């Protein structure tokens, strides 16, 4: 272990003196540090206030008054603060003093707060920020994991003496289940929040809800009632309700307990392209090609709010309900604050945009770019309004294809392709890690759940759903 000190002897003295209540030593050390005048004044007030209160606590009233006049008043503090300190002299009962001063007493916790106050005014060149070494170690370990393209584990990497390494078999590279009950192309899918159900939406006008709670997937519900292709589904936050929509312009609410339709929501006059729940599970948002966004209450068939805009190809609301992201045929990614609907950001892409996937924290969004020559998936940082990474190799020129975040730490980006392969990239570096074969048609959508150690699902124009797990030889 290194014997290099983390701070100089003067700072160590300051630390010990504050916690011991040796206020003369605290003052001497602060003066010796040669702080800027403003910082020195703030520090002197912080510890002298504590000293004053401790004198009052010890019922040394005359000594406290002398200290206030000689040591605090000359600092030129705000007259209101000075008056408040003076008024505390009348409280001889410690509990009354604590309550009116909002102070716990001469405790280690209060003296620790004084020390933290002093730290905030002492330059970093003199005093290292608190827990700085721990922060640097955590940053180093995080960097190790981010640079290890195959680290797909929920366990933290804790070895600073070796570079992060991982077995490639941790990637979801093997078909573990093939589900083939749809009668036409499968366009969309979503895992339930608990990971025990999977809903798949098809051109055959049905939604199948699969039960994944056992070793073998089974059909829990087959939902019929749409008059045209179903292109989107969404589980409520508690997984008790499923919404479905598509090319018949109607949104349907289904009970996951019974498999029965509960309510229809009519308002869109063209295909509904996306739906997203608000955090309370009582309201949801829908968007479509009719240039409208609706906010619905689950128990009401009429929209609560109608929002006019442009043709919306896709839309997502962050899990905290504070941000909504939309895309349009005009190649624009727009960010709105919720619920006031104010546009707070806009980015224009150079090629056609077909879909988005919003990260769990709402800060990043994956954007699928359709192009004959160079289709890409882009990762945008919505806080910095910056393109963070590009993912290349797949094919997308004609169809709507959706990507998703995946992996134990959301360290993967996964996408379907028109060449019948699933592509897996390392999120941080953009490196292509795997191309998964098995489908016999365009792969329209993919989804990930951390349940069961991590499970990937994909749906395709070959009418099938594939579930992928780890452990097999990597398919290239």
């Amino acid at each position: 272990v290194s014997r290099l000190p983390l701070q100089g002897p003067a700072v160590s003295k300051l630390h010990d003196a504050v916690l011991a209540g040796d206020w003369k030593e605290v003052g001497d050390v602060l003066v010796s540090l040669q702080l800027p005048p403003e910082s020195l004044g703030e520090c002197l007030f912080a510890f002298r206030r504590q000293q004053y209160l401790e004198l009052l606590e010890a019922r040394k009233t005359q000594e406290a008054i002398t200290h206030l006049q000689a040591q605090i008043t000359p600092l030129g503090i705000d007259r209101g603060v000075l008056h408040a300190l003076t008024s505390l002299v009348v409280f001889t009962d410690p509990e009354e003093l604590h309550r009116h001063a909002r102070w716990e007493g001469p405790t280690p916790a209060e003296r620790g707060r004084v020390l933290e106050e002093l730290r905030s005014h002492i330059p970093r060149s003199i005093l290292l920020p608190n827990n700085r070494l721990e922060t640097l170690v955590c940053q180093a370990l995080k960097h190790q994991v981010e640079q290890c393209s195959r680290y797909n584990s929920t366990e933290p990497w804790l070895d600073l003496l070796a570079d992060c390494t991982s077995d490639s078999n941790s990637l979801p590279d093997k078909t573990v289940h093939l589900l083939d009950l749809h009668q036409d192309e499968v366009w969309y899918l979503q895992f339930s929040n608990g990971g025990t159900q999977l809903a798949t939406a098809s051109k055959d006008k049905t939604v199948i809800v699969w039960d994944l709670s056992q070793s073998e997937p089974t059909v829990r519900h087959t939902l019929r009632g749409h008059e045209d292709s179903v292109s989107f589904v969404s589980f409520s936050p508690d997984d008790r309700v499923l919404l479905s929509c598509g090319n018949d312009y109607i949104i349907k609410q289904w009970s996951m307990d019974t498999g029965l339709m509960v309510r229809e929501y009519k308002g869109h006059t063209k295909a509904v392209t996306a739906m997203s729940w608000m955090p309370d599970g009582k309201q949801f948002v829908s968007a479509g090609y009719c240039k409208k966004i609706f906010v619905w209450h689950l128990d009401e068939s009429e929209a609560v709010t109608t929002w006019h805009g442009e043709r919306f190809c896709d839309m997502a609301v962050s899990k905290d309900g504070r941000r909504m992201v939309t895309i349009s045929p005009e190649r624009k990614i727009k960010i709105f604050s919720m619920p006031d609907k104010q546009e707070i950001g806009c980015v224009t892409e150079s090629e056609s945009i077909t879909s988005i996937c919003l990260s769990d924290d709402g800060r990043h969004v994956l954007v699928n770019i359709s192009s004959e020559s160079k289709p890409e998936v882009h990762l945008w940082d919505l806080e910095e309004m910056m393109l963070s990474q590009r993912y290349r190799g797949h094919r997308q020129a004609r169809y709507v294809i959706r990507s998703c975040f995946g992996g134990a730490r959301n360290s993967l980006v996964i996408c379907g392709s028109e060449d019948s392969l699933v592509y897996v990239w390392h999120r941080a570096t953009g490196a292509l890690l795997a191309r998964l074969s098995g489908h016999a048609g365009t792969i329209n959508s993919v989804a990930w759940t951390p349940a069961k150690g991590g499970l990937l699902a994909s749906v395709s124009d070959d009418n099938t759903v594939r579930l992928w797990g780890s452990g097999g030889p990597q398919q290239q």
Side-chain angles (χ1 to χ4, degrees):
V1 177
S2 171
R3 296 184 181 274
L4 291 174
L6 293 179
Q7 52 196 18
V11 174
S12 296
K13 279 185 181 180
L14 179 66
H15 177 275
D16 295 341
V18 170
L19 295 183
D22 186 349
W23 305 119
K24 182 181 183 304
E25 178 75 359
V26 172
D28 291 344
V29 172
L30 287 172
V31 172
S32 73
L33 292 177
Q34 299 182 337
L35 301 175
E38 184 177 345
S39 296
L40 179 60
E42 296 283 356
C43 289
L44 292 175
F45 173 70
F47 88 83
R48 287 176 180 175
R49 175 184 179 275
Q50 176 74 14
Q51 184 180 2
Y52 170 70
L53 293 173
E54 291 191 14
L55 288 170
L56 290 178
E57 170 93 0
R59 299 188 179 183
K60 298 178 180 180
T61 306
Q62 189 56 51
E63 191 176 340
I65 293 173
T66 301
H67 175 78
L68 181 67
Q69 294 172 340
Q71 301 294 326
I72 296 180
T73 302
L75 295 177
I77 64 173
D78 180 81
R79 294 187 65 179
V81 174
L82 187 61
H83 177 74
L85 289 175
T86 304
S87 67
L88 297 174
V89 173
V90 301
F91 300 110
T92 57
D93 179 64
E95 291 187 4
E96 286 291 305
L97 175 64
H98 296 171
R99 185 165 61 86
H100 285 84
R102 296 180 180 178
W103 178 70
E104 293 181 5
T107 64
E110 280 291 355
R111 289 177 178 177
R113 279 189 273 274
V114 172
L115 185 60
E116 288 306 308
E117 178 72 12
L118 298 182
R119 284 179 179 275
S120 69
H121 297 295
I122 297 176
R124 294 177 181 176
S125 58
I126 298 174
L127 177 63
L128 285 175
N130 204 23
N131 301 320
R132 184 58 181 162
L133 180 59
E134 180 183 351
T135 299
L136 291 173
V137 169
C138 290
Q139 289 175 346
L141 292 171
K142 180 181 178 183
H143 179 74
Q144 285 269 14
V145 171
E146 287 178 346
Q147 296 306 305
C148 181
S149 62
R150 297 190 181 279
Y151 192 76
N152 186 33
S153 171
T154 56
E155 296 299 319
W157 180 263
L158 299 176
D159 190 352
L160 284 173
L161 302 180
D163 289 340
C164 177
T165 57
S166 182
D167 189 342
S168 64
N169 285 346
S170 63
L171 292 176
D173 55 13
K174 174 185 177 183
T175 298
V176 293
H177 297 291
L178 176 64
L179 313 177
D180 58 359
L181 296 184
H182 279 292
Q183 303 303 307
D184 210 328
E185 299 168 1
V186 192
W187 287 358
Y188 189 75
L189 77 169
Q190 187 182 92
F191 283 105
S192 62
N193 297 284
T196 60
Q197 301 175 83
L198 174 68
T200 55
S202 173
K203 189 179 178 181
D204 67 9
K205 308 177 187 179
T206 71
V207 175
I208 298 180
V209 180
W210 307 86
D211 185 344
L212 306 180
S213 61
Q214 305 301 318
S215 58
E216 292 292 326
T218 57
V219 175
R220 182 177 185 186
H221 304 298
T222 300
L223 310 180
R224 295 183 173 88
H226 281 284
E227 297 179 1
D228 207 331
S229 308
V230 187
S231 59
F232 203 95
V233 290
S234 184
F235 280 100
S236 62
D238 63 5
D239 292 335
R240 298 188 64 184
V241 172
L242 183 75
L243 301 173
S244 63
C245 66
N247 292 353
D248 62 1
Y249 317 160
I250 297 173
I251 301 168
K252 294 180 183 290
Q253 178 197 150
W254 306 88
S255 166
M256 288 298 92
D257 293 330
T258 65
L260 300 177
M261 189 185 72
V262 177
R263 183 170 279 104
E264 290 185 337
Y265 307 91
K266 298 179 180 179
H268 289 281
T269 55
K270 292 187 178 180
V272 189
T273 54
M275 301 173 295
S276 194
W277 287 87
M278 299 302 289
D280 62 4
K282 300 295 185 182
Q283 293 188 322
F284 67 93
V285 184
S286 65
Y289 289 139
C290 61
K291 302 183 180 181
K292 292 179 182 178
I293 287 178
F294 292 98
V295 179
W296 307 87
H297 191 283
L298 196 61
D299 299 329
E300 300 174 8
S301 297
E302 297 295 325
V304 176
T305 305
T306 304
W307 191 340
H308 298 271
E310 51 204 347
R311 293 183 69 215
F312 297 103
C313 301
D314 203 358
M315 173 275 303
V317 176
S318 59
K319 288 187 179 295
D320 63 8
R322 298 174 61 185
R323 172 179 287 166
M324 181 176 72
V325 182
T326 67
I327 59 171
S328 69
E330 288 72 33
R331 304 176 181 176
K332 291 181 179 180
I333 308 166
K334 290 187 176 182
I335 304 99
F336 299 87
S337 61
M338 295 288 280
D340 58 7
K341 310 175 220 174
Q342 296 298 311
E343 184 177 326
I344 57 176
C346 181
V347 176
T348 302
E349 287 278 11
S350 59
E351 301 285 347
S352 177
I353 310 170
T354 65
S355 64
I356 57 175
C357 177
L358 195 59
S359 63
D360 286 343
D361 62 7
R363 173 163 183 168
H364 297 92
V365 64
L366 293 174
V367 181
N368 273 63
I369 307 299
S370 178
S371 171
E372 287 281 357
S373 57
K374 53 174 185 178
E376 296 178 337
V377 179
H378 290 174
L379 176 65
W380 283 91
D381 184 327
L382 300 180
E383 295 288 341
E384 303 293 334
M385 297 303 289
M386 177 181 70
L387 180 60
S388 301
Q389 192 55 267
R390 301 170 185 263
Y391 309 96
R392 302 183 177 99
H394 66 299
R395 296 180 189 174
Q396 182 182 0
R398 299 174 58 194
Y399 303 115
V400 174
I401 291 177
R402 296 178 179 274
S403 53
C404 73
F405 296 99
R409 298 169 178 267
N410 281 331
S411 59
L412 306 176
V413 169
I414 308 167
C415 187
S417 175
E418 291 174 6
D419 62 6
S420 307
L421 300 175
V422 175
Y423 285 72
V424 182
W425 296 275
H426 186 235
R427 175 175 172 175
T429 65
L432 178 62
L433 303 180
R435 294 177 297 168
L436 312 181
S437 61
H439 282 292
T442 295
I443 300 173
N444 301 304
S445 188
V446 291
W448 171 272
T449 179
K452 295 191 173 184
L455 197 61
L456 171 66
S458 58
V459 294
S460 169
D461 282 354
D462 65 7
N463 306 355
T464 69
V465 181
R466 283 181 181 263
L467 302 182
W468 307 80
S470 60
Q474 184 172 317
Q475 303 179 48
Q476 292 287 346

